[in-house]
Amino acid sequence: MVTVAEPLPVPSVPRARLRRLGPNWYASVMGTAVLGSAGLTLPAHAEALRDLFEGAWALSLIMLVALLAARALHWTHHRDQARADLLDAATAPFYGCLSMALLSVGGGALTAGQDLIGAGTAVALDTVLFTAGTAVGLAAAVAVPYLMAVRHRVEPAQATPVWLLPLVAPMVSAALGPLLVPHLPAGQPRETLLLACLSLFGLSLSATLLMLPLVFARLVTCGPLPLALTPTVFLVLGPLGQSATAVGRIADAAPGVVPAPYDRGLGVFAVLYGVPVTGFALLWLALASVHVVRARRQGMGFAMTWWAFTFPVGTCVTAAAVLARHTGLVVYDGLAVGLYALLAVAWSAAAVGTVRGLLSGELLPAPRPAPGVLRPATGRTRSGAAR
């Protein structure tokens, strides 16, 4: 009898690859959905471009379904890793991306997807995704800061714009909820939803104003972020552009829903709030851009954080389009077009990097075989005698 080394069995490679599939992957769904929905807010677009915008939304829907299924398998087969992600200060905030992915695909159904799936189906799909996304977003806005306070033990020097993700999720609900208002019965249901969106706007804005100073102070006092995290500086644009979009869309839906003079007051507020906040967003865009240029010169390579270039910029596109509609100024139309061009370039770079990373196995690497473990085994000599 001899003892030989036999490696322990390795889980199936496709299932084991999912161990590295974190909630940050929902950012790719958000970025793809906004590519379609933001494009339809531009001042003028050819029918061919409309087909591209609808195709982007359809792709985001497919990505969402596939990712939800993959994440369900992740929780089933890698529950220990999923729990570890929740208890990790660097990963837990990305659960806000789940909410925003649901909301952005749902909102896109009423804009970019309506001609593809029909008005009735689009309303039903958005109703389901808006409800689920809002519930997840509110849960994340409470749970993640709670975990940061009692379990994560974070230090001020660890602050990054990623901390904003669970707090901005309710703002996405505030910006997309008004799209559902016309599809509700007139009277109390419509007014309730619209004012709920205004409450979500206030909730998210207040929480963001508490967290943003920590992020800015970290950048100023502790220096630039690590190279791989540098693209996350763009995440600050999310609450800025989305909040300006939210107040504009709430004002659009207000006539006939809320009584006068509040309906007109919301229109005034959309301009008085949206113009200065969009100005600050442009300032932050310039600041974030120079940070990224510096990081690229120092060797920053592709990472999934590149998706931070997409959705936040898309919210600035919709904010500029809202201001163009409320002010009548052509300059905001031009701003929306320019920002959308930046969004298209950013999405292309992130998408190409993601596909390459998946094909090469760098993003979701296959598990390594476990080291050989000695197990009893029977071996025979050439003479047939067992040792």
PDB file of all heavy atoms in Angstrom, residues 311-330:
ATOM      1  N   PHE A 311     -22.701  56.456 -15.676  1.00  0.00           N
ATOM      2  CA  PHE A 311     -23.987  56.887 -15.129  1.00  0.00           C
ATOM      3  C   PHE A 311     -23.949  58.306 -14.561  1.00  0.00           C
ATOM      4  O   PHE A 311     -24.868  59.093 -14.818  1.00  0.00           O
ATOM      5  CB  PHE A 311     -24.453  55.899 -14.061  1.00  0.00           C
ATOM      6  CG  PHE A 311     -25.857  56.141 -13.582  1.00  0.00           C
ATOM      7  CD1 PHE A 311     -26.951  55.727 -14.325  1.00  0.00           C
ATOM      8  CD2 PHE A 311     -26.093  56.815 -12.387  1.00  0.00           C
ATOM      9  CE1 PHE A 311     -28.246  55.955 -13.900  1.00  0.00           C
ATOM     10  CE2 PHE A 311     -27.384  57.047 -11.946  1.00  0.00           C
ATOM     11  CZ  PHE A 311     -28.465  56.620 -12.705  1.00  0.00           C
ATOM     12  N   PRO A 312     -22.932  58.690 -13.788  1.00  0.00           N
ATOM     13  CA  PRO A 312     -22.915  60.077 -13.286  1.00  0.00           C
ATOM     14  C   PRO A 312     -22.924  61.121 -14.396  1.00  0.00           C
ATOM     15  O   PRO A 312     -23.615  62.150 -14.288  1.00  0.00           O
ATOM     16  CB  PRO A 312     -21.616  60.130 -12.469  1.00  0.00           C
ATOM     17  CG  PRO A 312     -21.384  58.717 -12.041  1.00  0.00           C
ATOM     18  CD  PRO A 312     -21.829  57.894 -13.211  1.00  0.00           C
ATOM     19  N   VAL A 313     -22.170  60.877 -15.455  1.00  0.00           N
ATOM     20  CA  VAL A 313     -22.190  61.821 -16.578  1.00  0.00           C
ATOM     21  C   VAL A 313     -23.559  61.821 -17.247  1.00  0.00           C
ATOM     22  O   VAL A 313     -24.068  62.862 -17.669  1.00  0.00           O
ATOM     23  CB  VAL A 313     -21.082  61.476 -17.590  1.00  0.00           C
ATOM     24  CG1 VAL A 313     -21.183  62.364 -18.831  1.00  0.00           C
ATOM     25  CG2 VAL A 313     -19.707  61.638 -16.944  1.00  0.00           C
ATOM     26  N   GLY A 314     -24.186  60.639 -17.336  1.00  0.00           N
ATOM     27  CA  GLY A 314     -25.530  60.564 -17.911  1.00  0.00           C
ATOM     28  C   GLY A 314     -26.538  61.390 -17.140  1.00  0.00           C
ATOM     29  O   GLY A 314     -27.440  62.004 -17.734  1.00  0.00           O
ATOM     30  N   THR A 315     -26.411  61.439 -15.812  1.00  0.00           N
ATOM     31  CA  THR A 315     -27.341  62.273 -15.029  1.00  0.00           C
ATOM     32  C   THR A 315     -27.139  63.750 -15.329  1.00  0.00           C
ATOM     33  O   THR A 315     -28.094  64.533 -15.270  1.00  0.00           O
ATOM     34  CB  THR A 315     -27.163  62.026 -13.522  1.00  0.00           C
ATOM     35  OG1 THR A 315     -25.883  62.501 -13.090  1.00  0.00           O
ATOM     36  CG2 THR A 315     -27.306  60.556 -13.181  1.00  0.00           C
ATOM     37  N   CYS A 316     -25.911  64.138 -15.646  1.00  0.00           N
ATOM     38  CA  CYS A 316     -25.664  65.536 -16.017  1.00  0.00           C
ATOM     39  C   CYS A 316     -26.259  65.854 -17.391  1.00  0.00           C
ATOM     40  O   CYS A 316     -26.686  66.996 -17.643  1.00  0.00           O
ATOM     41  CB  CYS A 316     -24.164  65.822 -16.005  1.00  0.00           C
ATOM     42  SG  CYS A 316     -23.418  65.740 -14.360  1.00  0.00           S
ATOM     43  N   VAL A 317     -26.289  64.852 -18.267  1.00  0.00           N
ATOM     44  CA  VAL A 317     -26.950  65.045 -19.568  1.00  0.00           C
ATOM     45  C   VAL A 317     -28.431  65.335 -19.361  1.00  0.00           C
ATOM     46  O   VAL A 317     -28.985  66.299 -19.930  1.00  0.00           O
ATOM     47  CB  VAL A 317     -26.765  63.797 -20.456  1.00  0.00           C
ATOM     48  CG1 VAL A 317     -27.585  63.935 -21.747  1.00  0.00           C
ATOM     49  CG2 VAL A 317     -25.299  63.588 -20.783  1.00  0.00           C
ATOM     50  N   THR A 318     -29.097  64.527 -18.553  1.00  0.00           N
ATOM     51  CA  THR A 318     -30.532  64.734 -18.327  1.00  0.00           C
ATOM     52  C   THR A 318     -30.791  66.030 -17.579  1.00  0.00           C
ATOM     53  O   THR A 318     -31.806  66.697 -17.813  1.00  0.00           O
ATOM     54  CB  THR A 318     -31.125  63.546 -17.554  1.00  0.00           C
ATOM     55  OG1 THR A 318     -30.408  63.352 -16.326  1.00  0.00           O
ATOM     56  CG2 THR A 318     -31.031  62.266 -18.382  1.00  0.00           C
ATOM     57  N   ALA A 319     -29.876  66.428 -16.680  1.00  0.00           N
ATOM     58  CA  ALA A 319     -30.036  67.698 -15.971  1.00  0.00           C
ATOM     59  C   ALA A 319     -29.965  68.866 -16.941  1.00  0.00           C
ATOM     60  O   ALA A 319     -30.775  69.810 -16.867  1.00  0.00           O
ATOM     61  CB  ALA A 319     -28.967  67.836 -14.895  1.00  0.00           C
ATOM     62  N   ALA A 320     -28.995  68.825 -17.863  1.00  0.00           N
ATOM     63  CA  ALA A 320     -28.878  69.894 -18.853  1.00  0.00           C
ATOM     64  C   ALA A 320     -30.102  69.943 -19.759  1.00  0.00           C
ATOM     65  O   ALA A 320     -30.593  71.029 -20.115  1.00  0.00           O
ATOM     66  CB  ALA A 320     -27.609  69.697 -19.681  1.00  0.00           C
ATOM     67  N   ALA A 321     -30.624  68.775 -20.124  1.00  0.00           N
ATOM     68  CA  ALA A 321     -31.820  68.736 -20.965  1.00  0.00           C
ATOM     69  C   ALA A 321     -33.025  69.316 -20.241  1.00  0.00           C
ATOM     70  O   ALA A 321     -33.855  70.026 -20.840  1.00  0.00           O
ATOM     71  CB  ALA A 321     -32.095  67.295 -21.394  1.00  0.00           C
ATOM     72  N   VAL A 322     -33.149  69.022 -18.947  1.00  0.00           N
ATOM     73  CA  VAL A 322     -34.249  69.589 -18.147  1.00  0.00           C
ATOM     74  C   VAL A 322     -34.145  71.108 -18.097  1.00  0.00           C
ATOM     75  O   VAL A 322     -35.143  71.826 -18.255  1.00  0.00           O
ATOM     76  CB  VAL A 322     -34.237  68.983 -16.734  1.00  0.00           C
ATOM     77  CG1 VAL A 322     -35.065  69.842 -15.779  1.00  0.00           C
ATOM     78  CG2 VAL A 322     -34.792  67.562 -16.771  1.00  0.00           C
ATOM     79  N   LEU A 323     -32.937  71.625 -17.877  1.00  0.00           N
ATOM     80  CA  LEU A 323     -32.761  73.075 -17.806  1.00  0.00           C
ATOM     81  C   LEU A 323     -33.024  73.731 -19.159  1.00  0.00           C
ATOM     82  O   LEU A 323     -33.555  74.844 -19.222  1.00  0.00           O
ATOM     83  CB  LEU A 323     -31.349  73.401 -17.321  1.00  0.00           C
ATOM     84  CG  LEU A 323     -31.091  73.158 -15.833  1.00  0.00           C
ATOM     85  CD1 LEU A 323     -29.630  73.403 -15.496  1.00  0.00           C
ATOM     86  CD2 LEU A 323     -31.991  74.055 -14.987  1.00  0.00           C
ATOM     87  N   ALA A 324     -32.660  73.051 -20.227  1.00  0.00           N
ATOM     88  CA  ALA A 324     -32.952  73.589 -21.555  1.00  0.00           C
ATOM     89  C   ALA A 324     -34.454  73.729 -21.753  1.00  0.00           C
ATOM     90  O   ALA A 324     -34.940  74.719 -22.327  1.00  0.00           O
ATOM     91  CB  ALA A 324     -32.349  72.680 -22.627  1.00  0.00           C
ATOM     92  N   ARG A 325     -35.199  72.765 -21.261  1.00  0.00           N
ATOM     93  CA  ARG A 325     -36.654  72.795 -21.395  1.00  0.00           C
ATOM     94  C   ARG A 325     -37.279  73.882 -20.524  1.00  0.00           C
ATOM     95  O   ARG A 325     -38.237  74.543 -20.934  1.00  0.00           O
ATOM     96  CB  ARG A 325     -37.217  71.419 -21.041  1.00  0.00           C
ATOM     97  CG  ARG A 325     -38.698  71.255 -21.341  1.00  0.00           C
ATOM     98  CD  ARG A 325     -39.108  69.800 -21.330  1.00  0.00           C
ATOM     99  NE  ARG A 325     -38.859  69.143 -20.051  1.00  0.00           N
ATOM    100  CZ  ARG A 325     -37.913  68.233 -19.840  1.00  0.00           C
ATOM    101  NH1 ARG A 325     -37.096  67.882 -20.813  1.00  0.00           N
ATOM    102  NH2 ARG A 325     -37.765  67.666 -18.644  1.00  0.00           N
ATOM    103  N   HIS A 326     -36.758  74.078 -19.327  1.00  0.00           N
ATOM    104  CA  HIS A 326     -37.368  75.034 -18.403  1.00  0.00           C
ATOM    105  C   HIS A 326     -36.906  76.469 -18.625  1.00  0.00           C
ATOM    106  O   HIS A 326     -37.625  77.403 -18.267  1.00  0.00           O
ATOM    107  CB  HIS A 326     -37.074  74.615 -16.959  1.00  0.00           C
ATOM    108  CG  HIS A 326     -37.950  73.515 -16.464  1.00  0.00           C
ATOM    109  ND1 HIS A 326     -39.153  73.741 -15.832  1.00  0.00           N
ATOM    110  CD2 HIS A 326     -37.822  72.161 -16.522  1.00  0.00           C
ATOM    111  CE1 HIS A 326     -39.718  72.587 -15.515  1.00  0.00           C
ATOM    112  NE2 HIS A 326     -38.936  71.610 -15.933  1.00  0.00           N
ATOM    113  N   THR A 327     -35.708  76.643 -19.172  1.00  0.00           N
ATOM    114  CA  THR A 327     -35.210  78.004 -19.396  1.00  0.00           C
ATOM    115  C   THR A 327     -35.334  78.445 -20.842  1.00  0.00           C
ATOM    116  O   THR A 327     -35.352  79.644 -21.127  1.00  0.00           O
ATOM    117  CB  THR A 327     -33.731  78.105 -18.982  1.00  0.00           C
ATOM    118  OG1 THR A 327     -32.937  77.260 -19.837  1.00  0.00           O
ATOM    119  CG2 THR A 327     -33.536  77.704 -17.530  1.00  0.00           C
ATOM    120  N   GLY A 328     -35.408  77.498 -21.777  1.00  0.00           N
ATOM    121  CA  GLY A 328     -35.440  77.836 -23.186  1.00  0.00           C
ATOM    122  C   GLY A 328     -34.099  78.269 -23.737  1.00  0.00           C
ATOM    123  O   GLY A 328     -34.022  78.760 -24.870  1.00  0.00           O
ATOM    124  N   LEU A 329     -33.028  78.102 -22.975  1.00  0.00           N
ATOM    125  CA  LEU A 329     -31.702  78.527 -23.409  1.00  0.00           C
ATOM    126  C   LEU A 329     -31.030  77.454 -24.251  1.00  0.00           C
ATOM    127  O   LEU A 329     -30.932  76.292 -23.840  1.00  0.00           O
ATOM    128  CB  LEU A 329     -30.829  78.852 -22.193  1.00  0.00           C
ATOM    129  CG  LEU A 329     -31.285  80.035 -21.338  1.00  0.00           C
ATOM    130  CD1 LEU A 329     -30.360  80.210 -20.141  1.00  0.00           C
ATOM    131  CD2 LEU A 329     -31.316  81.316 -22.173  1.00  0.00           C
ATOM    132  N   VAL A 330     -30.535  77.869 -25.417  1.00  0.00           N
ATOM    133  CA  VAL A 330     -29.884  76.944 -26.330  1.00  0.00           C
ATOM    134  C   VAL A 330     -28.576  76.421 -25.749  1.00  0.00           C
ATOM    135  O   VAL A 330     -28.145  75.307 -26.059  1.00  0.00           O
ATOM    136  CB  VAL A 330     -29.632  77.632 -27.690  1.00  0.00           C
ATOM    137  CG1 VAL A 330     -28.879  76.707 -28.648  1.00  0.00           C
ATOM    138  CG2 VAL A 330     -30.948  78.078 -28.318  1.00  0.00           C
TER     139      VAL A 330
END
